Amino acid sequence: MSTSRRDFVARLSAFGLALAGLPRFPVLLRPRFAANPFTLGVASGDPGPDGVVLWSRLAPDPLNGGGMTPEAVNVRWEVATDDAMRNVVRRGTVSARPDLGHSIHAEVEGLRPASWYWYRFDVGGESSPVGRTRTAPANDSRPDRYRFAFASCQHYENGLYTAHEHLAREDVELVAFLGDYIYESAGNPNATAGAVARPHQPWEPMSLEQYRNRYALYKGDPALQAAHAAFPWVVTWDDHEVDNNYAGDVAQDSVPRDAFLTRRAAAYQAYYEHQPLRKASIPRGPDMLLYRTIGAGQLARFHVLDTRQYRSDQSCGDGNKPACPAWSDPSRVMLGDTQERWLTRGVDQSQARWNILAQQIAFSRVPDPNRPQYHAMDPWSGYPAARDRLLAWMAERQQRNMVVLTGDIHAAFVMNVVRDALQPESATIATEFIATSITSGRDGFDRWGQLRDYETTVPNMKYHNARRGYVTCELTPTQWRSDYRMVPYVMRPGAPVETVASYVVQDGKPGAEKV
Ligand code: FE
Ligand code: CA
């Protein structure tokens, strides 16, 4: 397009001015692509009662920076009430900006609550695949049933996305993804045959372009694209979107703070560029607002947490360790003061029957009966003062039906959240469902060796399994039900899915019961 490109370049039109404060770019008026630019699929997210965010990214050469020239491009979007896109009810144009990787975030309004819609993007004679999305129930409505799924941890090298193939066919209204969407490790070209299902690029991302190329590798997967195209997603991150076990402004390895924050800024920006997030989450340097609430009428409210950006560093050198003095230092935080106040106020003001804490890391203590003095230093167990503060607050609010959803540990657990995390026999005050991973940990196995007798050794652990999959949840005003949906293998294709365990929570009675 270089010969006459200048003829088609104009100053940024009104479409781009919505993002006040961001720089202006010339606009490519008649874009032409060597290949369809929608290689990364489509997605939608953060549904409200009257609208949703529609996402895609123009990337005709996805694994090599995207393949776009440095102008902005105006992309048309349409929303219809049918999958053939005949009855279009909303349409508009959004700017795909070069400084945001030509990502597309169209915030659609004016839709009806609790309704399915289909959407598509068009630019330069090319069309995206059609995606399906669903608006949230009206804020004052009282749905008698609401279904969603949650999942986490999809290491690309550790397996195929068979679980996403099954997830895309589930009867749910929303997917919550709780972190480790990408992994930052470098692919090892000398890995033993059979150890890697499919390789990462042979580098660890540091720059924005490298993070973009890592997202492009993941988002090129057809099963992941199908799961995004089937439902709106609500996402939050864990550590691997940036760097294993980073904490706030502290890297895993000893890296100067400024250098790590430069890397964090690149990683956060790439995260924003590849997720269906609202404008409030546009990153500002190394900072990005990710905690937020998503409603489901008077039946449920998701309090989506960020347990990485504001936390204190791990104590005792991270890992699984006996406690050292810093472990119980009351000044160490997980959510940070601002987010903690936002959470407690949000739950206190919520009218919802079920208050969902959608977050990344194990809230309950998952003990090792062989090493009872050890604590995992990265999850909440490594931040006992911060956890105790929340437990004391939760204990006063058992009627708020708090349910904690968790990712991170690549194994499934159902935990009764107890008043004293170190005393598994203490009173149950809430319930925690820990998803296993989509792939991380490869095929997996039935249970961790140290938990072979968990039924008798860990009284508040109601279920454990270390295979791959996700969880579907069905909420009614009187009962929460979680079904653990598992695939027996991910290192080769074609695994079936089955429900291996189902647990319910009754309204007003914290704790899980086996179905
Ligand atoms: Fe993980
Ligand atoms: Ca993690």
Side-chain angles (χ1 to χ4, degrees), residues 198-214:
R198 47 193 181 164
H200 273 164
Q201 299 102 330
W203 36 258
E204 180 170 338
M206 297 285 167
S207 67
L208 176 56
E209 176 149 328
Q210 287 175 322
Y211 279 107
R212 284 172 177 162
N213 290 344
R214 183 57 57 90

Side-chain angles (χ1 to χ4, degrees), residues 177-201:
F177 195 87
L178 303 179
D180 290 354
Y181 190 96
I182 61 163
Y183 283 71
E184 84 289 13
S185 56
N188 174 6
N190 304 315
T192 331
V196 171
R198 47 193 181 164
H200 273 164
Q201 299 102 330

Side-chain angles (χ1 to χ4, degrees), residues 88-372:
V88 172
V89 292
R90 284 284 180 278
R91 53 165 53 95
T93 303
V94 63
S95 179
R97 303 167 50 90
D99 58 338
L100 292 173
H102 292 96
S103 59
I104 299 163
H105 297 82
E107 293 193 35
V108 179
E109 297 173 341
L111 304 179
R112 296 165 54 84
S115 303
W116 291 107
Y117 289 96
W118 285 260
Y119 59 94
R120 182 175 62 198
F121 300 100
D122 288 280
V123 64
E126 303 282 354
S127 295
S128 75
V130 173
R132 186 183 69 161
T133 192
R134 187 173 172 89
T135 48
N139 289 334
D140 58 356
S141 68
R142 299 177 181 279
D144 47 46
R145 173 183 181 268
Y146 180 79
R147 289 178 57 85
F148 74 98
F150 70 99
S152 76
C153 294
Q154 51 184 18
H155 199 308
Y156 190 82
E157 296 189 311
N158 279 190
L160 307 173
Y161 290 162
T162 314
H164 279 311
E165 286 178 43
H166 294 295
L167 176 58
R169 292 191 284 265
E170 293 284 355
D171 170 24
V172 295
E173 301 185 28
L174 175 146
V175 170
F177 195 87
L178 303 179
D180 290 354
Y181 190 96
I182 61 163
Y183 283 71
E184 84 289 13
S185 56
N188 174 6
N190 304 315
T192 331
V196 171
R198 47 193 181 164
H200 273 164
Q201 299 102 330
W203 36 258
E204 180 170 338
M206 297 285 167
S207 67
L208 176 56
E209 176 149 328
Q210 287 175 322
Y211 279 107
R212 284 172 177 162
N213 290 344
R214 183 57 57 90
Y215 277 96
L217 180 70
Y218 279 58
K219 293 192 81 89
D221 184 281
L224 177 58
Q225 291 188 10
H228 274 295
F231 317 106
W233 283 37
V234 171
V235 298
T236 188
W237 54 33
D238 193 26
D239 52 341
H240 289 291
E241 284 86 350
V242 182
D243 181 30
N244 179 49
N245 280 11
Y246 85 93
D249 57 7
V250 182
Q252 176 183 33
D253 307 313
S254 43
V255 172
R257 179 176 181 273
D258 284 354
F260 180 66
L261 286 179
T262 300
R263 181 183 186 187
R264 192 177 97 171
Y268 282 9
Q269 180 171 337
Y271 185 82
Y272 171 78
E273 290 174 354
H274 292 87
Q275 301 294 2
L277 290 165
R278 292 183 183 269
K279 291 186 187 76
S281 291
I282 292 176
R284 294 170 194 278
D287 303 320
M288 179 169 153
L289 179 62
L290 197 57
Y291 62 85
R292 63 206 187 279
T293 54
I294 304 290
Q298 305 273 300
L299 186 54
R301 175 161 286 258
F302 293 86
H303 307 266
V304 183
L305 306 186
D306 175 353
T307 59
R308 281 290 156 193
Q309 188 171 186
Y310 312 106
R311 63 156 75 190
S312 312
D313 196 12
Q314 293 93 352
S315 63
C316 320
D318 205 357
N320 282 4
K321 303 274 170 57
C324 63
W327 177 69
S328 52
D329 178 345
S331 71
R332 294 177 60 251
V333 298
M334 177 63 85
L335 300 177
D337 294 343
T338 308
Q339 184 179 191
E340 195 171 307
R341 272 197 307 276
W342 165 87
L343 170 64
T344 53
R345 195 181 307 133
V347 172
D348 283 347
Q349 293 173 350
S350 166
Q351 302 294 313
R353 180 63 50 93
W354 302 98
N355 280 289
I356 304 166
L357 277 55
Q359 53 102 56
Q360 298 85 63
I361 42 171
F363 187 66
S364 300
R365 172 168 157 81
V366 176
D368 179 347
N370 299 334
R371 297 189 297 181

Side-chain angles (χ1 to χ4, degrees), residues 390-460:
L390 281 186
L391 286 171
W393 166 77
M394 289 169 131
E396 302 297 316
R397 288 160 182 79
Q398 294 181 34
Q399 301 309 312
R400 311 304 302 225
N401 290 324
M402 273 183 257
V403 176
V404 183
L405 304 183
T406 301
D408 183 47
I409 46 177
H410 311 168
F413 296 88
V414 175
M415 304 292 297
N416 284 355
V417 175
V418 289
R419 174 62 188 87
D420 181 343
L422 302 184
Q423 301 294 336
E425 315 269 5
S426 60
T428 295
I429 59 171
T431 317
E432 179 172 16
F433 293 103
I434 303 180
T436 182
S437 60
I438 293 290
T439 53
S440 305
R442 304 188 186 86
D443 290 344
F445 33 86
D446 286 339
R447 59 179 71 183
W448 292 349
Q450 72 271 28
L451 292 176
R452 62 187 175 275
D453 303 316
Y454 75 85
E455 290 91 340
T456 50
T457 53
V458 191
N460 67 322

